[in-house]
Amino acid sequence: MADSLPAVRFAICGVGHIGLRHAALVARHAGAQLVALIDVRPELAPELALAFPGVSFFLSLDEYFTAGLVADVLTIATPNDQHTSQAIAGLEHGLHVVIEKPIALRTQDAEAVVRTAAQTGRLVFGVMQNRYSPPAAWLKQLMEEGRLGQVYLVQINCFWNRDARYYQPSAWKGTRQQDGGTLFTQFSHFVDLLYWVFGDITNISARFRDFNHQNLTEFEDSGLVTFDLVSGGSGTLQYSTAVWDRNLESSLTVIAEHGSLKIGGQYMDKVEYCYLRDYTLPPLPPTNPANEYGSYQGSAANHVHIIENVIETVQKRSSATTNALEGLKVVEIIERIYKLK
């Protein structure tokens, strides 16, 4: 049946590291067609024409809309502060929208995206790639099956290297207005994982420090956040981009009524500990390798699963793995944390 369905047509706005990855994966996918690339940098045109022959290039979303080129999905991989306005424009032009994290930098902006999606009857997909990692999916299933019993403590550690190789002068990353902060650009998908698995949080307290990014960013490089889970139990989120030279780890530890577990590795890519009552850890599928950005690395490269989910959902063969309401909730949680600065 899938083979007989028309290809899902994508226009991609923002052709940096992540936008290029989206473009390459869409171009390779049998069920997709890449129809347009949009970026404000005209100097990219020759290189993109070689990499994606026959794909139209535009210097702005307005230029793309005016051209009348038909697509089904608009993928937004631009600086964080542009996500909301571009998503709303895409929805109002009848496109489904894929938004790289975060979907917005303010709760009210995320609400506007959700509202516009409802009004236009279009879908919004948030890119929250941690949900596709086998250990995360396994943890979600454990929670849904009630195997942990009452959760007592949740500890999330995100200790990454983001130095001058990452925060380039004159780039948007690191600016308060366009980037929004470390939790938005670097670790929002870990906040998403917390919310997806354990639900909402309350009674938040936080401390923020700037150890070695004074000349690189306009905000903190490290934070210590404590909270209670609305469903019971407490937790901590400790994060830093001040780690020397390379990423140290991202990990999630759970102490619960029926046992304990830890997902660890540089990118939450393996179950390091699992000791639960009447339970044996099954073999899990391998986790995708980390995203490579030259001199630094990001989280596991799960964009292929996201694009697969978008295609299947648009073709009405599946449902969105990360919807706009959940993306809104992540923005709201981060905003509540940052209000404590």
Side-chain angles (χ1 to χ4, degrees):
M1 176 187 164
D3 295 337
S4 62
L5 293 169
V8 176
R9 297 160 296 185
F10 284 76
I12 294 174
C13 186
V15 196
H17 278 304
I18 294 293
L20 274 175
R21 172 163 298 109
H22 279 277
L25 290 168
V26 167
R28 284 205 297 265
H29 198 290
Q33 181 188 358
L34 182 62
V35 297
L37 295 167
I38 305 152
D39 200 287
V40 295
R41 297 167 290 177
E43 65 272 18
L44 295 181
E47 187 183 327
L48 293 173
L50 282 173
F52 304 102
V55 176
S56 301
F57 178 73
F58 301 95
L59 290 171
S60 70
L61 254 185
D62 284 342
E63 189 181 297
Y64 161 71
F65 291 138
T66 304
L69 197 62
V70 180
D72 305 295
V73 178
L74 175 67
T75 298
I76 296 166
T78 51
N80 296 350
D81 67 324
Q82 298 174 27
H83 291 182
T84 299
S85 60
Q86 292 172 341
I88 288 172
L91 292 166
E92 288 177 341
H93 281 83
L95 295 159
H96 303 295
V97 175
V98 176
I99 314 175
E100 267 295 336
K101 65 180 193 319
I103 72 164
L105 292 178
R106 299 185 305 169
T107 302
Q108 67 194 65
D109 292 340
E111 286 170 342
V113 172
V114 171
R115 201 162 48 244
T116 308
Q119 288 164 353
T120 57
R122 301 290 92 183
L123 299 167
V124 173
F125 302 82
V127 175
M128 287 297 176
Q129 59 266 45
N130 277 5
R131 295 191 182 196
Y132 295 94
S133 96
W138 164 77
L139 175 60
K140 171 76 168 170
Q141 187 180 349
L142 282 185
M143 282 295 292
E144 287 178 342
E145 291 173 356
R147 290 186 179 274
L148 298 174
Q150 177 59 48
V151 172
Y152 298 152
L153 289 174
V154 175
Q155 179 190 56
I156 297 178
N157 291 332
C158 302
F159 300 139
W160 284 9
N161 161 262
R162 291 289 182 266
D163 54 25
R165 294 170 294 185
Y166 179 86
Y167 289 111
Q168 301 282 336
S170 79
W172 66 271
K173 286 171 181 160
T175 62
R176 195 179 301 279
Q177 182 191 335
Q178 290 187 283
D179 184 318
T182 304
L183 282 178
F184 279 117
T185 299
Q186 304 304 330
F187 301 129
S188 59
H189 43 317
F190 295 96
V191 177
D192 173 72
L193 191 61
L194 170 68
Y195 174 68
W196 184 53
V197 175
F198 300 102
D200 206 354
I201 64 173
T202 187
N203 299 332
I204 302 168
S205 61
R207 295 167 63 192
F208 305 96
R209 298 292 299 274
D210 194 16
F211 292 113
N212 64 15
H213 282 73
Q214 290 90 343
N215 299 320
L216 296 177
T217 69
E218 296 176 355
F219 42 74
E220 88 291 350
D221 60 31
S222 304
L224 305 164
V225 185
T226 61
F227 52 85
D228 290 331
L229 297 167
V230 171
S231 59
S234 296
T236 60
L237 166 63
Q238 302 176 93
Y239 67 91
S240 182
T241 52
V243 178
W244 179 72
D245 199 51
R246 70 180 187 196
N247 290 358
L248 170 59
E249 71 166 6
S250 23
S251 66
L252 188 154
T253 303
V254 183
I255 313 295
E257 181 183 3
H258 298 157
S260 307
L261 61 88
K262 180 178 182 180
I263 299 172
Q266 273 197 68
Y267 314 102
M268 278 196 197
D269 48 5
K270 51 182 178 275
V271 179
E272 294 190 341
Y273 185 86
C274 174
Y275 187 55
L276 299 176
R277 189 175 76 191
D278 302 327
Y279 182 80
T280 303
L281 176 69
L284 300 179
T287 301
N288 286 341
N291 282 315
E292 293 286 349
Y293 303 104
S295 56
Y296 61 93
Q297 290 181 312
S299 53
N302 288 327
H303 283 82
V304 63
H305 301 300
I306 293 157
I307 288 163
E308 188 76 33
N309 178 243
V310 171
I311 292 166
E312 290 187 351
T313 306
V314 170
Q315 292 177 338
K316 298 186 167 52
R317 294 186 289 128
S318 184
S319 57
T321 310
T322 312
N323 62 43
L325 281 170
E326 292 168 323
L328 158 65
K329 195 68 201 177
V330 171
V331 173
E332 189 232 302
I333 290 171
I334 293 174
E335 200 170 45
R336 279 155 58 203
I337 292 169
Y338 273 162
K339 276 188 176 147
L340 300 169
K341 279 189 179 182

Short mmCIF file of all heavy atoms in Angstrom, two decimals, residues 94-147:
data_model
loop_
_atom_site.label_atom_id
_atom_site.label_comp_id
_atom_site.label_asym_id
_atom_site.label_seq_id
_atom_site.Cartn_x
_atom_site.Cartn_y
_atom_site.Cartn_z
N GLY A 94 -1.01 26.28 4.40
CA GLY A 94 -1.54 24.93 4.17
C GLY A 94 -0.54 23.80 4.29
O GLY A 94 -0.81 22.68 3.88
N LEU A 95 0.64 24.09 4.87
CA LEU A 95 1.67 23.06 5.00
C LEU A 95 1.67 22.45 6.39
O LEU A 95 1.41 23.15 7.39
CB LEU A 95 3.05 23.68 4.73
CG LEU A 95 3.30 24.21 3.32
CD1 LEU A 95 4.43 25.22 3.33
CD2 LEU A 95 3.63 23.06 2.39
N HIS A 96 1.96 21.16 6.48
CA HIS A 96 2.34 20.58 7.76
C HIS A 96 3.74 21.11 8.08
O HIS A 96 4.50 21.47 7.18
CB HIS A 96 2.38 19.06 7.68
CG HIS A 96 1.08 18.44 7.23
ND1 HIS A 96 -0.07 18.51 7.97
CD2 HIS A 96 0.77 17.75 6.10
CE1 HIS A 96 -1.05 17.88 7.32
NE2 HIS A 96 -0.56 17.42 6.19
N VAL A 97 4.09 21.16 9.37
CA VAL A 97 5.35 21.79 9.75
C VAL A 97 6.15 20.87 10.67
O VAL A 97 5.62 20.30 11.61
CB VAL A 97 5.07 23.14 10.45
CG1 VAL A 97 6.36 23.75 10.97
CG2 VAL A 97 4.40 24.12 9.50
N VAL A 98 7.44 20.73 10.34
CA VAL A 98 8.40 20.06 11.23
C VAL A 98 9.29 21.15 11.80
O VAL A 98 9.88 21.93 11.06
CB VAL A 98 9.27 19.05 10.45
CG1 VAL A 98 10.32 18.43 11.37
CG2 VAL A 98 8.42 17.97 9.81
N ILE A 99 9.35 21.24 13.14
CA ILE A 99 10.13 22.31 13.77
C ILE A 99 11.27 21.69 14.57
O ILE A 99 11.04 20.89 15.49
CB ILE A 99 9.27 23.17 14.71
CG1 ILE A 99 7.94 23.56 14.05
CG2 ILE A 99 10.05 24.42 15.13
CD1 ILE A 99 7.01 24.32 14.96
N GLU A 100 12.49 22.08 14.23
CA GLU A 100 13.62 21.68 15.06
C GLU A 100 13.44 22.25 16.46
O GLU A 100 12.81 23.30 16.64
CB GLU A 100 14.93 22.19 14.43
CG GLU A 100 15.60 21.19 13.52
CD GLU A 100 16.09 19.92 14.22
OE1 GLU A 100 16.34 19.95 15.44
OE2 GLU A 100 16.21 18.89 13.53
N LYS A 101 14.00 21.57 17.45
CA LYS A 101 13.88 22.04 18.82
C LYS A 101 14.57 23.39 19.00
O LYS A 101 15.59 23.62 18.36
CB LYS A 101 14.47 21.01 19.78
CG LYS A 101 15.97 20.81 19.62
CD LYS A 101 16.50 19.80 20.59
CE LYS A 101 17.99 19.78 20.70
NZ LYS A 101 18.80 19.91 19.51
N PRO A 102 14.00 24.26 19.81
CA PRO A 102 12.68 24.20 20.45
C PRO A 102 11.63 24.76 19.49
O PRO A 102 11.98 25.47 18.57
CB PRO A 102 12.86 25.13 21.65
CG PRO A 102 13.83 26.17 21.16
CD PRO A 102 14.76 25.46 20.20
N ILE A 103 10.33 24.45 19.74
CA ILE A 103 9.33 24.97 18.81
C ILE A 103 9.14 26.47 19.00
O ILE A 103 8.61 27.15 18.13
CB ILE A 103 7.98 24.22 18.88
CG1 ILE A 103 7.21 24.53 20.16
CG2 ILE A 103 8.15 22.73 18.72
CD1 ILE A 103 5.74 24.11 20.06
N ALA A 104 9.58 27.00 20.15
CA ALA A 104 9.51 28.43 20.42
C ALA A 104 10.41 28.73 21.61
O ALA A 104 10.93 27.81 22.26
CB ALA A 104 8.07 28.84 20.73
N LEU A 105 10.62 30.01 21.89
CA LEU A 105 11.40 30.42 23.06
C LEU A 105 10.51 30.96 24.18
O LEU A 105 11.00 31.25 25.27
CB LEU A 105 12.44 31.48 22.67
CG LEU A 105 13.56 30.99 21.76
CD1 LEU A 105 14.50 32.14 21.39
CD2 LEU A 105 14.36 29.86 22.42
N ARG A 106 9.21 31.11 23.90
CA ARG A 106 8.27 31.58 24.92
C ARG A 106 6.99 30.75 24.84
O ARG A 106 6.56 30.37 23.75
CB ARG A 106 7.92 33.06 24.70
CG ARG A 106 9.12 34.00 24.78
CD ARG A 106 8.69 35.46 24.67
NE ARG A 106 7.91 35.69 23.46
CZ ARG A 106 7.24 36.82 23.22
NH1 ARG A 106 7.23 37.78 24.12
NH2 ARG A 106 6.59 36.97 22.08
N THR A 107 6.40 30.49 25.99
CA THR A 107 5.18 29.69 26.05
C THR A 107 4.09 30.29 25.17
O THR A 107 3.40 29.58 24.43
CB THR A 107 4.68 29.58 27.50
OG1 THR A 107 5.73 29.00 28.30
CG2 THR A 107 3.45 28.71 27.60
N GLN A 108 3.92 31.62 25.20
CA GLN A 108 2.84 32.24 24.43
C GLN A 108 3.06 32.05 22.93
O GLN A 108 2.10 31.93 22.16
CB GLN A 108 2.72 33.72 24.78
CG GLN A 108 3.90 34.58 24.37
CD GLN A 108 3.87 35.94 25.04
OE1 GLN A 108 3.99 36.07 26.26
NE2 GLN A 108 3.69 36.98 24.23
N ASP A 109 4.33 32.00 22.50
CA ASP A 109 4.61 31.76 21.07
C ASP A 109 4.28 30.31 20.70
O ASP A 109 3.73 30.04 19.63
CB ASP A 109 6.07 32.07 20.76
CG ASP A 109 6.38 33.56 20.86
OD1 ASP A 109 5.43 34.36 20.79
OD2 ASP A 109 7.56 33.91 21.03
N ALA A 110 4.65 29.38 21.59
CA ALA A 110 4.33 27.97 21.33
C ALA A 110 2.82 27.77 21.28
O ALA A 110 2.30 27.00 20.47
CB ALA A 110 4.95 27.08 22.41
N GLU A 111 2.09 28.49 22.16
CA GLU A 111 0.62 28.41 22.16
C GLU A 111 0.06 28.92 20.83
O GLU A 111 -0.92 28.37 20.31
CB GLU A 111 0.05 29.22 23.32
CG GLU A 111 0.24 28.54 24.68
CD GLU A 111 -0.11 29.44 25.85
OE1 GLU A 111 -0.17 30.68 25.66
OE2 GLU A 111 -0.31 28.91 26.95
N ALA A 112 0.69 29.96 20.27
CA ALA A 112 0.23 30.50 18.98
C ALA A 112 0.40 29.47 17.87
O ALA A 112 -0.44 29.35 16.97
CB ALA A 112 0.99 31.78 18.65
N VAL A 113 1.50 28.69 17.92
CA VAL A 113 1.72 27.63 16.93
C VAL A 113 0.64 26.56 17.07
O VAL A 113 0.05 26.11 16.07
CB VAL A 113 3.13 27.01 17.10
CG1 VAL A 113 3.29 25.79 16.21
CG2 VAL A 113 4.21 28.04 16.79
N VAL A 114 0.37 26.14 18.31
CA VAL A 114 -0.65 25.11 18.56
C VAL A 114 -2.02 25.59 18.07
O VAL A 114 -2.77 24.85 17.41
CB VAL A 114 -0.71 24.78 20.07
CG1 VAL A 114 -1.90 23.88 20.39
CG2 VAL A 114 0.58 24.09 20.52
N ARG A 115 -2.34 26.85 18.36
CA ARG A 115 -3.63 27.42 17.97
C ARG A 115 -3.76 27.47 16.44
O ARG A 115 -4.79 27.10 15.87
CB ARG A 115 -3.73 28.83 18.56
CG ARG A 115 -5.13 29.38 18.68
CD ARG A 115 -5.23 30.55 19.65
NE ARG A 115 -4.20 31.56 19.42
CZ ARG A 115 -3.24 31.87 20.30
NH1 ARG A 115 -3.17 31.23 21.45
NH2 ARG A 115 -2.36 32.81 20.03
N THR A 116 -2.68 27.90 15.76
CA THR A 116 -2.72 28.00 14.30
C THR A 116 -2.85 26.62 13.67
O THR A 116 -3.57 26.45 12.67
CB THR A 116 -1.45 28.71 13.77
OG1 THR A 116 -1.28 29.94 14.46
CG2 THR A 116 -1.55 28.98 12.28
N ALA A 117 -2.17 25.63 14.24
CA ALA A 117 -2.30 24.25 13.72
C ALA A 117 -3.74 23.77 13.83
O ALA A 117 -4.29 23.16 12.90
CB ALA A 117 -1.36 23.32 14.49
N ALA A 118 -4.39 24.08 14.95
CA ALA A 118 -5.79 23.67 15.14
C ALA A 118 -6.70 24.38 14.14
O ALA A 118 -7.61 23.77 13.55
CB ALA A 118 -6.23 23.97 16.57
N GLN A 119 -6.44 25.68 13.93
CA GLN A 119 -7.29 26.47 13.02
C GLN A 119 -7.14 26.03 11.57
O GLN A 119 -8.10 26.06 10.79
CB GLN A 119 -6.94 27.96 13.15
CG GLN A 119 -7.40 28.58 14.46
CD GLN A 119 -6.72 29.91 14.74
OE1 GLN A 119 -5.81 30.33 14.03
NE2 GLN A 119 -7.18 30.58 15.79
N THR A 120 -5.94 25.64 11.19
CA THR A 120 -5.67 25.29 9.79
C THR A 120 -5.83 23.80 9.51
O THR A 120 -5.81 23.38 8.35
CB THR A 120 -4.24 25.70 9.39
OG1 THR A 120 -3.30 25.07 10.29
CG2 THR A 120 -4.04 27.20 9.47
N GLY A 121 -5.98 23.00 10.57
CA GLY A 121 -6.10 21.55 10.39
C GLY A 121 -4.82 20.90 9.90
O GLY A 121 -4.85 19.83 9.29
N ARG A 122 -3.70 21.54 10.16
CA ARG A 122 -2.39 20.99 9.76
C ARG A 122 -1.69 20.39 10.97
O ARG A 122 -2.02 20.68 12.12
CB ARG A 122 -1.50 22.07 9.15
CG ARG A 122 -2.04 22.79 7.91
CD ARG A 122 -2.05 21.88 6.68
NE ARG A 122 -3.31 21.18 6.53
CZ ARG A 122 -3.56 20.30 5.58
NH1 ARG A 122 -2.64 19.99 4.69
NH2 ARG A 122 -4.73 19.72 5.51
N LEU A 123 -0.68 19.58 10.71
CA LEU A 123 0.07 18.91 11.78
C LEU A 123 1.37 19.65 12.07
O LEU A 123 2.00 20.20 11.18
CB LEU A 123 0.42 17.47 11.35
CG LEU A 123 -0.75 16.54 11.05
CD1 LEU A 123 -0.26 15.29 10.34
CD2 LEU A 123 -1.49 16.17 12.33
N VAL A 124 1.76 19.64 13.34
CA VAL A 124 3.06 20.18 13.75
C VAL A 124 3.84 19.05 14.41
O VAL A 124 3.34 18.38 15.32
CB VAL A 124 2.90 21.35 14.74
CG1 VAL A 124 4.26 21.78 15.28
CG2 VAL A 124 2.22 22.53 14.07
N PHE A 125 5.06 18.84 13.94
CA PHE A 125 5.95 17.82 14.51
C PHE A 125 7.13 18.53 15.17
O PHE A 125 7.81 19.33 14.53
CB PHE A 125 6.51 16.91 13.41
CG PHE A 125 5.47 16.19 12.60
CD1 PHE A 125 4.83 16.81 11.54
CD2 PHE A 125 5.14 14.87 12.91
CE1 PHE A 125 3.88 16.14 10.77
CE2 PHE A 125 4.19 14.20 12.15
CZ PHE A 125 3.56 14.84 11.08
N GLY A 126 7.36 18.24 16.43
CA GLY A 126 8.56 18.75 17.10
C GLY A 126 9.67 17.72 16.94
O GLY A 126 9.42 16.52 17.01
N VAL A 127 10.89 18.20 16.73
CA VAL A 127 12.02 17.26 16.63
C VAL A 127 12.56 17.01 18.03
O VAL A 127 13.23 17.85 18.61
CB VAL A 127 13.12 17.84 15.71
CG1 VAL A 127 14.34 16.91 15.70
CG2 VAL A 127 12.59 18.02 14.29
N MET A 128 12.20 15.88 18.60
CA MET A 128 12.70 15.48 19.92
C MET A 128 13.31 14.09 19.78
O MET A 128 12.66 13.07 20.03
CB MET A 128 11.58 15.51 20.95
CG MET A 128 11.16 16.92 21.33
SD MET A 128 12.51 17.83 22.14
CE MET A 128 11.75 19.45 22.35
N GLN A 129 14.58 14.08 19.33
CA GLN A 129 15.15 12.83 18.84
C GLN A 129 15.41 11.79 19.93
O GLN A 129 15.54 10.61 19.63
CB GLN A 129 16.44 13.10 18.05
CG GLN A 129 17.54 13.80 18.79
CD GLN A 129 17.52 15.31 18.59
OE1 GLN A 129 16.46 15.92 18.67
NE2 GLN A 129 18.66 15.91 18.35
N ASN A 130 15.48 12.20 21.20
CA ASN A 130 15.74 11.21 22.25
C ASN A 130 14.65 10.15 22.35
O ASN A 130 14.89 9.04 22.81
CB ASN A 130 15.89 11.89 23.61
CG ASN A 130 17.29 12.44 23.84
OD1 ASN A 130 18.13 12.39 22.94
ND2 ASN A 130 17.55 12.96 25.02
N ARG A 131 13.43 10.49 21.92
CA ARG A 131 12.33 9.53 22.02
C ARG A 131 12.58 8.29 21.15
O ARG A 131 11.97 7.25 21.38
CB ARG A 131 11.02 10.18 21.58
CG ARG A 131 10.58 11.31 22.50
CD ARG A 131 9.18 11.72 22.17
NE ARG A 131 8.74 12.83 23.01
CZ ARG A 131 7.48 13.19 23.16
NH1 ARG A 131 6.54 12.53 22.52
NH2 ARG A 131 7.14 14.21 23.92
N TYR A 132 13.44 8.43 20.15
CA TYR A 132 13.68 7.32 19.23
C TYR A 132 14.85 6.44 19.69
O TYR A 132 15.15 5.44 19.05
CB TYR A 132 13.96 7.86 17.83
CG TYR A 132 12.77 8.56 17.23
CD1 TYR A 132 12.62 9.93 17.34
CD2 TYR A 132 11.78 7.84 16.57
CE1 TYR A 132 11.52 10.58 16.79
CE2 TYR A 132 10.67 8.46 16.02
CZ TYR A 132 10.55 9.84 16.14
OH TYR A 132 9.46 10.47 15.61
N SER A 133 15.53 6.84 20.76
CA SER A 133 16.64 5.99 21.19
C SER A 133 16.06 4.76 21.90
O SER A 133 15.15 4.89 22.72
CB SER A 133 17.60 6.76 22.09
OG SER A 133 17.32 6.54 23.43
N PRO A 134 16.54 3.56 21.57
CA PRO A 134 15.97 2.34 22.16
C PRO A 134 15.91 2.35 23.69
O PRO A 134 14.89 1.94 24.25
CB PRO A 134 16.88 1.23 21.62
CG PRO A 134 17.34 1.77 20.29
CD PRO A 134 17.53 3.25 20.52
N PRO A 135 16.95 2.84 24.41
CA PRO A 135 16.83 2.87 25.87
C PRO A 135 15.70 3.78 26.36
O PRO A 135 15.02 3.46 27.34
CB PRO A 135 18.20 3.39 26.34
CG PRO A 135 19.13 3.04 25.23
CD PRO A 135 18.32 3.20 23.99
N ALA A 136 15.46 4.91 25.67
CA ALA A 136 14.39 5.81 26.08
C ALA A 136 13.03 5.17 25.84
O ALA A 136 12.12 5.25 26.69
CB ALA A 136 14.50 7.13 25.33
N ALA A 137 12.86 4.54 24.68
CA ALA A 137 11.60 3.87 24.37
C ALA A 137 11.34 2.74 25.37
O ALA A 137 10.20 2.51 25.80
CB ALA A 137 11.64 3.33 22.94
N TRP A 138 12.41 2.05 25.76
CA TRP A 138 12.31 0.97 26.76
C TRP A 138 11.86 1.53 28.11
O TRP A 138 10.96 0.98 28.76
CB TRP A 138 13.67 0.28 26.87
CG TRP A 138 13.86 -0.57 28.08
CD1 TRP A 138 13.34 -1.82 28.29
CD2 TRP A 138 14.61 -0.24 29.25
NE1 TRP A 138 13.75 -2.29 29.53
CE2 TRP A 138 14.52 -1.34 30.12
CE3 TRP A 138 15.36 0.87 29.63
CZ2 TRP A 138 15.14 -1.35 31.38
CZ3 TRP A 138 15.98 0.87 30.87
CH2 TRP A 138 15.87 -0.23 31.73
N LEU A 139 12.43 2.66 28.53
CA LEU A 139 12.07 3.27 29.80
C LEU A 139 10.60 3.71 29.79
O LEU A 139 9.87 3.51 30.76
CB LEU A 139 12.99 4.47 30.09
CG LEU A 139 12.66 5.29 31.33
CD1 LEU A 139 12.73 4.42 32.58
CD2 LEU A 139 13.61 6.48 31.45
N LYS A 140 10.17 4.31 28.69
CA LYS A 140 8.77 4.73 28.56
C LYS A 140 7.83 3.53 28.71
O LYS A 140 6.80 3.61 29.39
CB LYS A 140 8.59 5.40 27.19
CG LYS A 140 7.15 5.71 26.81
CD LYS A 140 6.60 6.92 27.52
CE LYS A 140 5.28 7.36 26.90
NZ LYS A 140 4.62 8.39 27.71
N GLN A 141 8.21 2.42 28.10
CA GLN A 141 7.39 1.21 28.19
C GLN A 141 7.34 0.68 29.62
O GLN A 141 6.28 0.28 30.11
CB GLN A 141 7.94 0.13 27.24
CG GLN A 141 7.05 -1.10 27.15
CD GLN A 141 7.61 -2.15 26.20
OE1 GLN A 141 8.55 -1.89 25.45
NE2 GLN A 141 7.03 -3.34 26.23
N LEU A 142 8.48 0.70 30.31
CA LEU A 142 8.51 0.28 31.72
C LEU A 142 7.53 1.09 32.56
O LEU A 142 6.81 0.55 33.40
CB LEU A 142 9.92 0.46 32.31
CG LEU A 142 11.02 -0.54 31.98
CD1 LEU A 142 12.27 -0.19 32.77
CD2 LEU A 142 10.60 -1.97 32.29
N MET A 143 7.54 2.41 32.34
CA MET A 143 6.64 3.29 33.09
C MET A 143 5.19 2.98 32.77
O MET A 143 4.34 2.90 33.67
CB MET A 143 6.95 4.75 32.77
CG MET A 143 8.18 5.31 33.46
SD MET A 143 7.99 5.36 35.26
CE MET A 143 6.72 6.64 35.42
N GLU A 144 4.89 2.80 31.48
CA GLU A 144 3.51 2.54 31.09
C GLU A 144 3.00 1.22 31.65
O GLU A 144 1.81 1.07 31.94
CB GLU A 144 3.39 2.56 29.56
CG GLU A 144 3.49 3.97 28.98
CD GLU A 144 3.43 3.99 27.46
OE1 GLU A 144 3.65 2.94 26.84
OE2 GLU A 144 3.17 5.08 26.91
N GLU A 145 3.91 0.25 31.79
CA GLU A 145 3.52 -1.07 32.33
C GLU A 145 3.51 -1.08 33.85
O GLU A 145 3.13 -2.08 34.46
CB GLU A 145 4.49 -2.13 31.81
CG GLU A 145 4.36 -2.39 30.30
CD GLU A 145 5.44 -3.33 29.77
OE1 GLU A 145 6.34 -3.71 30.56
OE2 GLU A 145 5.39 -3.67 28.57
N GLY A 146 3.94 0.01 34.48
CA GLY A 146 3.93 0.10 35.94
C GLY A 146 4.99 -0.74 36.62
O GLY A 146 4.88 -1.05 37.81
N ARG A 147 6.03 -1.14 35.89
CA ARG A 147 7.03 -2.05 36.46
C ARG A 147 7.91 -1.40 37.53
O ARG A 147 8.53 -2.09 38.32
CB ARG A 147 7.92 -2.62 35.36
CG ARG A 147 7.21 -3.61 34.46
CD ARG A 147 8.16 -4.25 33.48
NE ARG A 147 7.49 -5.21 32.62
CZ ARG A 147 7.29 -6.49 32.95
NH1 ARG A 147 7.70 -6.94 34.12
NH2 ARG A 147 6.68 -7.31 32.10
#
